[in-house]
Amino acid sequence: MLSPKQFRYGFTNAVSDEEAKELYDRTAIPAPARPLFQAAFATLNPSAQTKVNTKNATRGPLLIVSGESDHTVPPVLAHAAAKKYRNSPAITELKSFPNRGHSLVIDHGWKEIADYSLAWLGKNGL
């Protein structure tokens, strides 16, 4: 399990210390590391369980959200993920939120992300 210090760095670096502690107490749980390692090393393993067909033309629209201050999935990785989907005719968009970390969908600013996502879905006919 992540320590409060590790959680603060990886997930809640863009919120106050008080909110970081509250989020740690409410959401941090012991979990196996295997899924994280599978995802982290997927690009090195051609038969990885986490492999995605980024050229799938029949998938639904994909909105990739990113926090500009995210330490766990830095913006460069979000941009790289969006770039991987560029050869699919399906709708793909990257939205980066300034001054936000990895906790962007569970911290005090989650409504901004939800509102943007709902508007985006509506704009794309969903």
Side-chain angles (χ1 to χ4, degrees):
M1 180 161 166
L2 295 176
S3 71
K5 184 177 179 181
Q6 291 168 322
F7 187 83
R8 178 81 168 119
Y9 179 82
F11 291 89
T12 57
N13 61 296
V15 299
S16 69
D17 287 339
E18 183 178 313
E19 185 175 7
K21 183 184 180 330
E22 176 194 327
L23 288 170
Y24 180 81
D25 291 343
R26 190 179 59 185
T27 63
I29 60 170
R34 185 175 184 179
L36 297 174
F37 286 109
Q38 286 174 332
F41 293 105
T43 57
L44 305 175
N45 179 0
S47 60
Q49 290 93 347
T50 55
K51 187 173 182 165
V52 175
N53 177 2
T54 59
K55 296 176 185 171
N56 182 357
T58 62
R59 69 164 170 81
L62 174 63
L63 174 62
I64 300 170
V65 296
S66 172
E68 287 184 358
S69 299
D70 193 333
H71 288 165
T72 301
V73 182
V76 68
L77 291 181
H79 287 274
K83 191 175 178 181
K84 288 233 177 229
Y85 286 93
R86 74 178 179 264
N87 293 325
S88 171
I91 297 167
T92 303
E93 185 178 316
L94 169 65
K95 172 63 177 168
S96 188
F97 291 88
N99 305 312
R100 302 303 301 277
H102 198 69
S103 66
L104 75 167
V105 298
I106 62 169
D107 65 30
H108 71 279
W110 70 268
K111 287 182 182 181
E112 176 188 8
I113 312 305
D115 289 343
Y116 183 91
S117 299
L118 285 171
W120 185 86
L121 287 167
K123 180 180 89 174
N124 288 290
L126 300 171

